[in-house]
Amino acid sequence: MYRFFWPIADLSLRHRTIGLSLWLALIVLCCAGLPRLSIAYDYRSFFDDANPELASFNQIENQYTATDSVNLVIHRADGDLFNTADLKTLDWLTERSLAIPYSTRSQSMANFQYSDAAGDDILVEPLIAPLRQNTANAPNIIEERAQSQALVRGRLISADGMTAQVIVTVRLPADQGNVLPAVKDEVEAIAEELAQRAPALRLATTGVVMLSSAFFDITVQDMVQLFPIMGVLVVGVLTWFFSSFRAAGYCLLVISLSIGMAMGLAGWWGLALTPATGPVPVVIMTVALVDSVHIVSTFLRLRTSMAHKDAVRRAIFNNLRPIILTSITTAVGFLSLNFSDTPPFREFGNIAAMGTIFAGLASISLLPMLLCNTAMAMAGTDRFASAQPLLSFTRALRPVRWIIVVALLGAGISAIWALRSIDVEDNFVEWIGQGQPFRQNAEFIQDKLPALFTLQFSVAARDGKQVTEPAYLRDLEALRTHLERAPGVAHVASFDLVMRRLNRNLNGNDPAFDRLPESPELAAQYLLLYELSLPFGEDLTTLLTIDRSASRLVATLEPQSSRQMRALRAETIAWAEQNLMSATAGAGTGTNMIFAELTASNTRSMFIGSLIAAMGIGLILMVALRTWRLGLLSLLPNIVPPLLAFGVWAGLVGSVGLYGAFVVSVSLGLVVDATVHMLEKYASFAASGSAEPVAQTVAEVGPPILISSAVLMTGFAVITFSTFALIGLLAQLVLLTLIFAILADFIMLPALLYCLEKPKAGSPGTP
C-alpha cells in the first residue's frame, strides 16, 4: 500500500509544476459542487423517510389537520387578559396571523366556537362575540365562558388568564427552503405591529415551523462564526509552535482546500447542510491539521541538519506510513456514523471522512510542493524540537509501568461502574443554544402555558362503528381522564368534551346533563346540528376523521425528558389495551415523541457501529503493523479515553442525550491518530534493534502529537460554542475524551509497551 503512495509523493516533489496543475484541476472540479450545496432545516430532515415513528406521525397528519404550526403567545405580566383592550388585541392577532404564508387556519380563544342553548336549538358563535357585539360587561362574560370550556382553559388561555396563544396551522410545500424565510419575516412583522399596538404585552413565538426556522439560523450562524474563529486560532497556535507565520499559512491553505473539496463533493452528491453538518468544516480543519503538523514539525527539525529539499523528502518519507494509516482509520471512525438512524449525522460522517482522505493526500503531495519552494524559505523552528524532556519523562515510566497499568485498569472499572447510573434522555428544545430566540421563547412559553410538547393518539372505533357510539365515547372519556391524571400532563383535548358540552346545551344547559349522550342516534343528531351551526371555514377536522370512524386525542405535556415521554406513551398504550373495549388507541406520536424515539434508536445502532469501527481499526492496525500484539494493544489507548470521558460525564452531568451516541465514533477517529504514529514508529525502532524503542518513539513523534493534540482540542473547544447545543455538547464530550487520550498516549501506551518488551541488559533505565 505504501509503495503506491510514495511514487505520488516523490513525483510531486520532482515535478512540482505538473503536480500543482493536477491539484488545481482536482480542486476546481470538486469545488464546482459548492454552489449545489443547500441548507435543509425542516425538522423532518433528522429522520429517514422509512422511519416508523415519522410514518406514524405523518399518518395522523394525513387523517386529521396537519399539526405543523406557528404558536403566537401573548402574556401580560401585571394582570390577566380579560379586559377590553387585550381581548381586542387577541382578536386582532387571530385575524392578522392568517397572513402568515401557507397558513390554513388560526385557533385561539377569540375564534373558539362557543355553543350555548337557544330554546330547543343551539347557538354557536365565537367565544369573544360579546366583545364584538359591544355587550355590557363583555370581558367578564368572556372570562366565564373561557374558564368553563375544557378545550379552552389550559390550552388556549392559562388558568390565571395572563397568557393566551394563537395556534396557526401551516401546511408548507415540499420545498421548504424557499418559504420558511417568508414565514419568519411575516411573524417578525406581526411582532413589530403588536409591539406598537400593545407595548405592555410580551409576544413569544414557538411551534415546529419556528423550530425549522431556528435550525436554518443556527446552521448559517455556526458556519459564519465558528469557521473564521477556528482559522484565526489555528494560525495563532501554529505560528507560536513553529515560530513561522508562513508555515502556519501553508498548513491552513492545505486544510482549507481539503474542506472546499469535501464540501464540493457533498454538493455534487446532493447532500444538504443541516445544524448537525454545519460544523463539519471545523472538524475537517481540526483533523486535517494533524497530518500537516507532523510533516511541518519533522521538516523544521530535519532542516537544521540537511538541505532544504532533502529535509522535505525525509519528512514525507518518515511520516508517509502513519499518515496513510491514520487517514484510513480516522475515515473508518467517521464512516461508522452511517450506522446512525439520523441522516444528518450520517452525512456528517461521510463529509468528514472525505475531508480526512483529501487532507491525507494533500499533506503528502501538495504540502511538500509548497515547502519545497525555496524562494519562500521559512525561518521557523519546532518549539518542542528538544527530545530530552520527553526522553526523561518516558524513561521514568518504566519502573512504575505495572502500577500505571493497574491504576488505569481500576480507573476503567470505575468508569464502567459510573456508566450504570447515567441516563439516556433528551429534550429537543434544548438542542438549540440557550442564547437563541427560539430556545428563550420556548422556555418562556412552557413556563406560562405549555404548548410545544404533545402526545397524540388516533382513537378508532372498533368493528366499523362511528365515534358517536356511546360505548366509544365512554372509552374515549376514560382514556382522557387517565391521561389527565398522569404526571407531566398539562391538558388533554378530545372529542368526548365536545359531546358532553352539546348534550348539556341541548338540554337547556342543565348541569345534570353535563355527561355523554346515551344513544348513538342522539349523539349523531347533536354532532350534525353542531356542524351545521359552525360558520363557513370552521369544522372538526382537527379532532375527527372524514368518515367519523376515529378521533384524535391530544395531550399537552409539561417539559420533560425523552425517557419520561417514552414511559408515558408506553404506560398509556398498555392501559388502553387493558381497559378499552369499544375503541383502540393507536401508537402515540407527536413531534417531541419522534425525537424521543430517535435518541433511543440511535443509542442502540451507534453502539453497534462504534464496536464494528473499533474492531475494524484494530484489524487494520494488525495488518499494517504486521503483528497482532500491537494491533490488539492499539485498542486500549483508543477505547479507554472515551470510556473514562463517559465515566466523568456520568458523575458530573448524570445524563447524556442524542449526542452521546456519536461520541465514540467521532473520538475514535481522532484519538487513533496519535496511537498509530506511536505504534508505527515503535515497530520501526524495535525492528531496527534500538536499545530504547519506547523512549525513542515518544521523543520522535511526541512533539508533533502534542502540537496536533493542542490543535484538536482548540478546534473542539471552538465547536463547544456552537449555537446547535447538540453539537456543542458532543464537542464537550469529545474534548474531554481528547484530554484523556493525551494521558493514554504518553503514559498508558508507553507503560503497556514497557510491559510487553523484553528487558535488555545495559539499557538505560533497566533495573
Side-chain angles (χ1 to χ4, degrees):
M1 177 175 64
Y2 306 108
R3 293 176 183 177
F4 171 76
F5 288 100
W6 173 246
I8 295 177
D10 188 51
L11 183 64
S12 64
L13 294 176
R14 290 188 288 109
H15 303 285
R16 294 199 302 276
T17 302
I18 297 176
L20 287 171
S21 299
L22 292 174
W23 265 105
L24 180 61
L26 180 61
I27 291 168
V28 171
L29 178 64
C30 291
C31 292
L34 288 173
R36 299 171 63 89
L37 278 175
S38 59
I39 298 179
Y41 37 90
D42 179 8
Y43 68 91
R44 287 180 171 84
S45 65
F46 282 85
F47 304 89
D48 281 316
D49 292 337
N51 184 287
E53 296 294 332
L54 182 62
S56 177
F57 179 68
N58 288 337
Q59 182 180 6
I60 279 193
E61 293 221 321
N62 292 332
Q63 287 180 300
Y64 307 92
T65 301
T67 56
D68 285 356
S69 65
V70 175
N71 296 60
L72 306 174
V73 178
I74 58 173
H75 172 74
R76 173 174 284 278
D78 58 353
D80 62 42
L81 297 170
F82 292 107
N83 58 79
T84 301
D86 289 344
L87 289 172
K88 286 184 177 180
T89 298
L90 178 63
D91 196 16
W92 167 85
L93 182 62
T94 304
E95 293 296 323
R96 178 66 178 83
S97 64
L98 289 173
I100 295 175
Y102 299 97
S103 61
T104 58
R105 67 186 301 165
S106 177
Q107 304 175 67
S108 76
M109 180 180 69
N111 66 355
F112 176 82
Q113 297 305 307
Y114 176 79
S115 61
D116 200 359
D120 294 331
D121 206 347
I122 185 172
L123 172 66
V124 179
E125 63 180 5
L127 188 146
I128 208 171
L131 183 69
R132 296 176 181 175
Q133 299 163 0
N134 295 318
T135 304
N137 205 24
N140 291 338
I141 296 174
I142 293 171
E143 181 178 9
E144 183 180 352
R145 285 183 170 189
Q147 297 298 350
S148 67
Q149 300 298 307
L151 289 173
V152 174
R153 186 184 65 254
R155 176 173 175 262
L156 298 178
I157 191 164
S158 60
D160 59 14
M162 300 172 67
T163 309
Q165 72 167 326
V166 179
I167 305 172
V168 186
T169 303
V170 180
R171 188 176 291 275
L172 297 174
D175 182 13
Q176 298 188 10
N178 297 323
V179 301
L180 273 180
V183 172
K184 180 184 176 183
D185 290 344
E186 188 63 30
V187 170
E188 290 177 349
I190 292 174
E192 292 177 2
E193 293 176 29
L194 180 65
Q196 295 178 357
R197 183 185 183 96
L201 297 181
R202 171 175 175 176
L203 175 67
T205 60
T206 186
V208 294
V209 176
M210 301 308 294
L211 173 66
S212 295
S213 180
F215 282 161
F216 172 79
D217 292 339
I218 62 181
T219 301
V220 174
Q221 189 172 340
D222 276 358
M223 294 185 65
V224 171
Q225 294 182 354
L226 297 185
F227 187 70
I229 292 173
M230 181 58 185
V232 171
L233 287 176
V234 164
V235 171
V237 171
L238 292 183
T239 300
W240 184 83
F241 275 130
F242 295 146
S243 300
S244 170
F245 178 77
R246 185 166 293 162
Y250 282 159
C251 292
L252 187 60
L253 175 61
V254 168
I255 62 176
S256 297
L257 293 175
S258 301
I259 292 170
M261 289 188 291
M263 301 302 288
L265 275 187
W268 285 119
W269 198 350
L271 300 182
L273 295 178
T274 65
T277 55
V280 160
V282 179
V283 174
I284 296 176
M285 173 182 281
T286 304
V287 174
L289 271 174
V290 175
D291 295 334
S292 299
V293 163
H294 280 280
I295 297 293
V296 175
S297 178
T298 305
F299 162 71
L300 291 176
R301 290 202 309 274
L302 294 174
R303 195 187 55 168
T304 59
S305 59
M306 61 181 66
H308 187 100
K309 291 184 179 180
D310 291 338
V312 175
R313 291 175 62 85
R314 176 55 60 178
I316 299 300
F317 184 81
N318 287 354
N319 291 283
L320 181 63
R321 285 170 57 91
I323 284 178
I324 294 171
L325 203 52
T326 55
S327 297
I328 294 173
T329 52
T330 301
V332 168
F334 284 131
L335 289 174
S336 67
L337 290 175
N338 281 284
F339 284 89
S340 169
D341 294 331
T342 307
F345 279 99
R346 296 201 297 266
E347 293 163 6
F348 177 102
N350 291 332
I351 298 173
M354 289 189 293
T356 299
I357 297 301
F358 278 130
L361 293 174
S363 65
I364 64 174
S365 57
L366 181 57
L367 181 59
M369 287 187 281
L370 297 175
L371 294 176
C372 276
N373 191 350
T374 54
M376 299 176 65
M378 297 173 291
T381 184
D382 184 351
R383 287 185 180 271
F384 295 115
S386 175
Q388 191 56 48
L390 288 175
L391 277 171
S392 301
F393 175 79
T394 307
R395 287 170 178 166
L397 298 177
R398 196 174 194 277
V400 293
R401 58 192 181 277
W402 288 108
I403 297 177
I404 294 173
V405 171
V406 172
L408 288 172
L409 180 63
I413 294 174
S414 299
I416 294 174
W417 182 261
L419 285 175
R420 296 172 63 254
S421 62
I422 197 169
D423 290 326
V424 179
E425 56 185 34
D426 232 333
N427 179 336
F428 75 88
V429 171
E430 296 176 356
W431 289 9
I432 312 295
Q434 289 188 341
Q436 297 303 301
F438 178 85
R439 172 79 175 268
Q440 294 174 338
N441 284 339
E443 291 180 343
F444 174 81
I445 291 171
Q446 286 297 113
D447 182 56
K448 304 299 181 182
L449 180 63
L452 188 58
F453 295 90
T454 61
L455 175 60
Q456 306 176 43
F457 292 91
S458 180
V459 185
R462 293 182 185 271
D463 304 324
K465 298 293 182 65
Q466 298 284 297
V467 296
T468 50
E469 288 289 330
Y472 169 85
L473 290 172
R474 287 193 294 271
D475 275 358
L476 184 62
E477 183 178 49
L479 179 59
R480 173 180 58 82
T481 304
H482 175 76
L483 266 171
E484 287 175 338
R485 295 170 179 169
V489 176
H491 183 271
V492 183
S494 62
F495 176 63
D496 67 288
L497 291 171
V498 176
M499 297 307 297
R500 288 176 65 98
R501 176 160 50 98
L502 292 176
N503 191 46
R504 177 172 176 170
N505 293 153
L506 291 169
N507 284 279
N509 280 338
D510 185 349
F513 287 90
D514 188 10
R515 61 176 186 263
L516 295 171
E518 297 179 354
S519 72
E521 294 80 14
L522 190 61
Q525 291 175 13
Y526 287 172
L527 179 59
L528 177 61
L529 181 60
Y530 178 70
E531 290 186 295
L532 291 175
S533 303
L534 290 174
F536 179 77
E538 295 288 340
D539 54 40
L540 291 175
T541 54
T542 57
L543 288 177
L544 301 179
T545 58
I546 295 176
D547 62 0
R548 302 299 188 255
S549 64
S551 67
R552 174 161 62 181
L553 180 148
V554 181
T556 304
L557 311 179
E558 297 171 353
Q560 54 190 268
S561 69
S562 57
R563 177 176 52 82
Q564 292 171 314
M565 292 179 194
R566 292 195 302 271
L568 174 62
R569 180 173 74 165
E571 190 278 332
T572 303
I573 292 175
W575 184 92
E577 290 176 349
Q578 294 178 3
N579 294 276
L580 301 187
M581 304 299 294
S582 301
T584 58
T589 187
T591 308
N592 47 284
M593 186 56 62
I594 59 177
F595 276 108
E597 289 297 337
L598 189 67
T599 299
S601 64
N602 267 295
T603 300
R604 294 188 294 267
S605 60
M606 286 310 303
F607 173 79
I608 298 174
S610 300
L611 183 62
I612 292 175
M615 295 173 60
I617 290 174
L619 289 174
I620 292 172
L621 293 180
M622 288 180 191
V623 174
L625 299 174
R626 299 183 179 87
T627 167
W628 67 269
R629 289 202 310 166
L630 291 183
L632 194 61
L633 182 68
S634 69
L635 294 177
L636 290 177
N638 294 332
I639 294 176
V640 169
L643 182 63
L644 294 178
F646 270 106
V648 172
W649 193 268
L652 295 177
V653 181
S655 64
V656 66
L658 179 62
Y659 58 91
F662 310 101
V663 168
V664 176
S665 292
V666 174
S667 59
L668 191 62
L670 297 173
V671 302
V672 73
D673 286 11
T675 306
V676 167
H677 280 276
M678 285 275 198
L679 292 178
E680 197 280 332
K681 189 59 65 175
Y682 171 79
S684 177
F685 279 130
S688 65
S690 171
E692 293 184 276
V694 178
Q696 284 185 296
T697 294
V698 177
E700 176 75 17
V701 301
I705 286 178
L706 287 173
I707 298 173
S708 59
S709 297
V711 172
L712 281 173
M713 289 188 284
T714 300
F716 278 90
V718 170
I719 299 175
T720 61
F721 293 98
S722 170
T723 49
F724 189 41
L726 190 68
I727 291 294
L729 292 169
L730 170 67
Q732 290 180 28
L733 199 43
V734 171
L735 182 60
L736 185 60
T737 302
L738 292 173
I739 294 173
F740 283 117
I742 289 290
L743 299 177
D745 289 322
F746 285 89
I747 298 177
M748 176 183 181
L749 185 56
L752 289 171
L753 291 174
Y754 274 133
C755 291
L756 290 178
E757 73 174 6
K758 297 179 180 180
K760 297 182 180 180
S763 297
T766 303

